[in-house]
Amino acid sequence: MKKRLFTIIISLSIISCQQTKKEKAFKIFNEGVTLSLNAGTEANRGNEKTAIELNDKAIEKFRETLRTDSTHSIARSALAHSLYISKKYDEAIEWFKRANAIGKAEAVNYMELGLSQINLGQTAEGEKNLFKALELDKSEEIREITVEDLYDIGKLAFKYGDAYKKEGKTEKALTYKQFSIDVLKLSLKINPARADIRSTADSCAKQLMD
Protein backbone atom coordinates (compact mmCIF):
# COMPACT_ATOMS: atom_id res chain seq x y z
CA MET A 1 0.00 0.00 0.00
CA LYS A 2 2.79 2.40 0.95
CA LYS A 3 4.66 1.54 -2.27
CA ARG A 4 1.56 2.20 -4.37
CA LEU A 5 0.94 5.52 -2.55
CA PHE A 6 4.55 6.54 -3.12
CA THR A 7 4.18 5.73 -6.85
CA ILE A 8 1.01 7.83 -7.09
CA ILE A 9 2.71 10.77 -5.34
CA ILE A 10 5.69 10.56 -7.73
CA SER A 11 3.34 10.36 -10.74
CA LEU A 12 1.37 13.40 -9.58
CA SER A 13 4.61 15.27 -9.01
CA ILE A 14 5.76 14.53 -12.59
CA ILE A 15 2.41 15.66 -14.02
CA SER A 16 2.60 18.86 -11.96
CA CYS A 17 6.11 19.57 -13.24
CA GLN A 18 5.01 18.95 -16.83
CA GLN A 19 2.11 21.37 -16.46
CA THR A 20 4.39 23.99 -14.91
CA LYS A 21 6.91 23.53 -17.70
CA LYS A 22 4.26 23.98 -20.39
CA GLU A 23 2.80 27.00 -18.64
CA LYS A 24 6.26 28.55 -18.38
CA ALA A 25 6.96 27.84 -22.06
CA PHE A 26 3.59 29.37 -23.00
CA LYS A 27 4.49 32.57 -21.13
CA ILE A 28 7.95 32.80 -22.70
CA PHE A 29 6.52 32.14 -26.16
CA ASN A 30 3.96 34.93 -25.77
CA GLU A 31 6.74 37.30 -24.75
CA GLY A 32 8.54 36.35 -27.96
CA VAL A 33 5.43 36.97 -30.04
CA THR A 34 5.00 40.42 -28.50
CA LEU A 35 8.62 41.28 -29.27
CA SER A 36 8.22 40.03 -32.83
CA LEU A 37 5.06 42.09 -33.39
CA ASN A 38 6.73 45.18 -31.94
CA ALA A 39 9.71 44.60 -34.23
CA GLY A 40 7.35 44.61 -37.21
CA THR A 41 5.74 47.83 -36.03
CA GLU A 42 9.13 49.54 -35.64
CA ALA A 43 10.24 48.32 -39.05
CA ASN A 44 7.10 49.82 -40.63
CA ARG A 45 7.91 53.11 -38.91
CA GLY A 46 11.40 53.06 -40.41
CA ASN A 47 13.13 52.41 -37.07
CA GLU A 48 15.36 49.68 -38.46
CA LYS A 49 17.85 49.51 -35.58
CA THR A 50 15.11 49.13 -32.96
CA ALA A 51 13.33 46.56 -35.13
CA ILE A 52 16.50 44.45 -35.39
CA GLU A 53 17.09 44.59 -31.64
CA LEU A 54 13.50 43.54 -30.89
CA ASN A 55 13.62 40.74 -33.43
CA ASP A 56 16.88 39.43 -31.93
CA LYS A 57 15.21 39.38 -28.51
CA ALA A 58 12.25 37.51 -30.00
CA ILE A 59 14.64 34.90 -31.42
CA GLU A 60 16.09 34.30 -27.96
CA LYS A 61 12.61 33.98 -26.46
CA PHE A 62 11.64 31.35 -29.02
CA ARG A 63 14.87 29.45 -28.36
CA GLU A 64 14.14 29.62 -24.64
CA THR A 65 10.62 28.33 -25.29
CA LEU A 66 12.01 25.22 -26.95
CA ARG A 67 14.59 24.72 -24.23
CA THR A 68 11.77 24.87 -21.70
CA ASP A 69 9.37 22.68 -23.65
CA SER A 70 10.75 20.93 -26.74
CA THR A 71 7.23 19.78 -27.68
CA HIS A 72 5.87 23.33 -28.10
CA SER A 73 3.73 23.16 -31.23
CA ILE A 74 4.55 26.43 -33.03
CA ALA A 75 7.79 27.74 -31.50
CA ARG A 76 9.82 26.23 -34.35
CA SER A 77 7.82 28.13 -36.96
CA ALA A 78 8.07 31.37 -34.97
CA LEU A 79 11.82 30.95 -34.54
CA ALA A 80 12.29 30.19 -38.24
CA HIS A 81 10.27 33.27 -39.20
CA SER A 82 12.29 35.57 -36.94
CA LEU A 83 15.55 34.13 -38.30
CA TYR A 84 14.24 34.74 -41.82
CA ILE A 85 13.48 38.37 -40.93
CA SER A 86 17.06 38.64 -39.59
CA LYS A 87 18.35 37.27 -42.92
CA LYS A 88 19.93 34.31 -41.13
CA TYR A 89 18.79 32.12 -43.99
CA ASP A 90 20.84 28.99 -43.29
CA GLU A 91 19.46 28.64 -39.79
CA ALA A 92 15.96 29.69 -40.87
CA ILE A 93 15.94 26.87 -43.43
CA GLU A 94 16.91 24.37 -40.74
CA TRP A 95 14.06 25.45 -38.45
CA PHE A 96 11.47 25.69 -41.22
CA LYS A 97 12.30 22.09 -42.15
CA ARG A 98 11.94 21.01 -38.53
CA ALA A 99 8.60 22.79 -38.27
CA ASN A 100 7.35 21.25 -41.50
CA ALA A 101 8.45 17.78 -40.39
CA ILE A 102 6.40 17.68 -37.20
CA GLY A 103 3.43 19.99 -37.70
CA LYS A 104 0.58 20.70 -40.07
CA ALA A 105 1.74 21.99 -43.45
CA GLU A 106 1.55 25.80 -43.32
CA ALA A 107 1.76 27.90 -46.47
CA VAL A 108 3.74 30.71 -44.83
CA ASN A 109 6.39 28.24 -43.65
CA TYR A 110 6.90 26.90 -47.16
CA MET A 111 6.87 30.42 -48.62
CA GLU A 112 9.57 31.73 -46.28
CA LEU A 113 11.53 28.48 -46.58
CA GLY A 114 11.51 28.89 -50.36
CA LEU A 115 12.51 32.54 -50.19
CA SER A 116 15.33 31.70 -47.75
CA GLN A 117 16.64 29.09 -50.18
CA ILE A 118 16.45 31.48 -53.11
CA ASN A 119 18.32 34.15 -51.15
CA LEU A 120 21.13 31.59 -50.80
CA GLY A 121 21.06 30.79 -54.52
CA GLN A 122 19.22 27.48 -54.08
CA THR A 123 16.77 28.42 -56.81
CA ALA A 124 15.40 24.99 -57.75
CA GLU A 125 14.66 23.98 -54.14
CA GLY A 126 13.24 27.41 -53.40
CA GLU A 127 10.91 27.33 -56.40
CA LYS A 128 9.59 23.93 -55.34
CA ASN A 129 8.73 25.18 -51.86
CA LEU A 130 7.19 28.41 -53.13
CA PHE A 131 4.79 26.48 -55.35
CA LYS A 132 4.03 24.18 -52.43
CA ALA A 133 3.03 27.29 -50.46
CA LEU A 134 0.81 28.48 -53.31
CA GLU A 135 -0.88 25.07 -53.42
CA LEU A 136 -1.63 25.26 -49.70
CA ASP A 137 -2.91 28.84 -49.88
CA LYS A 138 -4.49 29.90 -53.16
CA SER A 139 -5.23 33.46 -52.02
CA GLU A 140 -4.10 36.45 -54.04
CA GLU A 141 -2.43 37.88 -50.94
CA ILE A 142 0.23 35.20 -50.54
CA ARG A 143 0.81 35.14 -54.30
CA GLU A 144 1.52 38.87 -54.39
CA ILE A 145 3.70 38.78 -51.26
CA THR A 146 5.76 36.03 -52.89
CA VAL A 147 6.04 37.92 -56.16
CA GLU A 148 7.05 41.18 -54.45
CA ASP A 149 9.72 39.45 -52.37
CA LEU A 150 11.13 37.74 -55.46
CA TYR A 151 11.11 41.07 -57.30
CA ASP A 152 13.10 42.66 -54.46
CA ILE A 153 15.60 39.78 -54.42
CA GLY A 154 16.04 40.00 -58.19
CA LYS A 155 16.62 43.75 -58.23
CA LEU A 156 19.05 43.61 -55.31
CA ALA A 157 21.04 40.79 -56.92
CA PHE A 158 21.46 42.84 -60.10
CA LYS A 159 22.75 45.80 -58.05
CA TYR A 160 25.30 43.48 -56.45
CA GLY A 161 26.28 42.38 -59.95
CA ASP A 162 26.87 45.99 -60.99
CA ALA A 163 28.97 46.60 -57.87
CA TYR A 164 31.16 43.57 -58.59
CA LYS A 165 31.55 44.70 -62.20
CA LYS A 166 32.87 48.08 -61.02
CA GLU A 167 35.36 46.24 -58.83
CA GLY A 168 36.57 44.31 -61.87
CA LYS A 169 35.17 41.00 -60.60
CA THR A 170 33.62 40.08 -63.93
CA GLU A 171 32.80 36.43 -63.26
CA LYS A 172 31.11 37.21 -59.95
CA ALA A 173 29.20 40.08 -61.57
CA LEU A 174 27.86 37.77 -64.29
CA THR A 175 26.84 35.15 -61.72
CA TYR A 176 24.80 37.66 -59.71
CA LYS A 177 23.21 39.20 -62.79
CA GLN A 178 22.20 35.81 -64.20
CA PHE A 179 20.80 34.86 -60.81
CA SER A 180 18.85 38.13 -60.80
CA ILE A 181 17.27 37.36 -64.16
CA ASP A 182 16.40 33.81 -63.07
CA VAL A 183 14.62 35.15 -59.96
CA LEU A 184 12.73 37.77 -61.97
CA LYS A 185 11.61 35.07 -64.41
CA LEU A 186 10.38 33.00 -61.48
CA SER A 187 8.31 35.92 -60.21
CA LEU A 188 6.77 36.23 -63.68
CA LYS A 189 6.07 32.51 -63.68
CA ILE A 190 3.94 33.08 -60.60
CA ASN A 191 2.30 36.24 -61.95
CA PRO A 192 2.80 36.77 -65.71
CA ALA A 193 0.62 39.90 -65.60
CA ARG A 194 3.26 42.02 -63.82
CA ALA A 195 4.38 44.32 -66.65
CA ASP A 196 6.76 46.20 -64.31
CA ILE A 197 8.67 43.02 -63.49
CA ARG A 198 8.75 41.99 -67.14
CA SER A 199 10.20 45.38 -68.07
CA THR A 200 12.88 45.06 -65.36
CA ALA A 201 13.74 41.51 -66.47
CA ASP A 202 14.07 42.63 -70.11
CA SER A 203 16.26 45.57 -69.09
CA CYS A 204 18.50 43.35 -66.96
CA ALA A 205 18.82 40.80 -69.78
CA LYS A 206 19.80 43.55 -72.22
CA GLN A 207 22.44 44.89 -69.83
CA LEU A 208 23.79 41.38 -69.35
CA MET A 209 24.34 41.06 -73.10
CA ASP A 210 26.06 44.48 -73.43
Side-chain angles (χ1 to χ4, degrees):
M1 182 64 182
K2 287 183 178 179
K3 184 177 180 182
R4 179 172 173 76
L5 183 60
F6 178 75
T7 303
I8 291 170
I9 291 169
I10 291 296
S11 298
L12 289 172
S13 177
I14 291 170
I15 291 168
S16 176
C17 287
Q18 287 175 339
Q19 288 174 339
T20 303
K21 186 169 69 173
K22 287 187 179 298
E23 287 168 2
K24 185 179 178 183
F26 181 78
K27 180 178 180 292
I28 296 165
F29 178 76
N30 284 342
E31 289 171 356
V33 170
T34 299
L35 287 163
S36 182
L37 291 172
N38 289 342
T41 299
E42 293 301 324
N44 290 335
R45 290 173 178 168
N47 300 327
E48 198 62 33
K49 183 180 178 182
T50 303
I52 291 169
E53 289 172 353
L54 288 169
N55 192 60
D56 286 345
K57 289 178 181 178
I59 288 171
E60 289 312 308
K61 286 293 181 182
F62 297 139
R63 292 192 198 279
E64 187 181 351
T65 300
L66 289 167
R67 287 195 298 268
T68 305
D69 177 13
S70 62
T71 67
H72 195 284
S73 59
I74 55 175
R76 289 169 181 78
S77 295
L79 174 56
H81 169 73
S82 291
L83 289 165
Y84 168 73
I85 295 298
S86 286
K87 299 182 180 180
K88 297 174 181 177
Y89 299 122
D90 280 316
E91 198 174 357
I93 288 168
E94 176 188 342
W95 283 104
F96 277 127
K97 287 181 176 179
R98 291 188 190 186
N100 291 342
I102 65 169
K104 177 186 173 185
E106 298 287 350
V108 67
N109 282 353
Y110 280 97
M111 180 189 75
E112 292 185 345
L113 168 60
L115 291 169
S116 295
Q117 290 169 320
I118 287 170
N119 269 291
L120 293 179
Q122 301 167 16
T123 312
E125 298 95 325
E127 179 176 346
K128 180 181 176 182
N129 284 308
L130 290 181
F131 277 97
K132 172 71 173 177
L134 297 175
E135 285 174 13
L136 292 168
D137 182 350
K138 299 185 184 300
S139 70
E140 192 63 26
E141 181 182 10
I142 193 170
R143 183 174 296 275
E144 284 312 304
I145 289 172
T146 303
V147 168
E148 282 298 331
D149 283 354
L150 288 171
Y151 192 20
D152 288 342
I153 293 168
K155 289 186 292 185
L156 184 61
F158 205 86
K159 286 182 181 178
Y160 283 145
D162 279 337
Y164 282 121
K165 185 177 180 180
K166 288 177 183 177
E167 293 174 8
K169 299 175 181 178
T170 307
E171 188 174 342
K172 206 163 188 176
L174 287 173
T175 298
Y176 269 88
K177 289 187 176 185
Q178 186 58 61
F179 169 71
S180 166
I181 293 168
D182 290 342
V183 173
L184 293 171
K185 284 180 178 178
L186 175 55
S187 66
L188 286 169
K189 191 174 179 180
I190 295 171
N191 186 356
R194 287 290 298 269
D196 55 334
I197 299 177
R198 190 172 300 281
S199 175
T200 301
D202 290 344
S203 174
C204 289
K206 185 176 182 300
Q207 290 181 55
L208 185 64
M209 294 173 65
D210 291 341

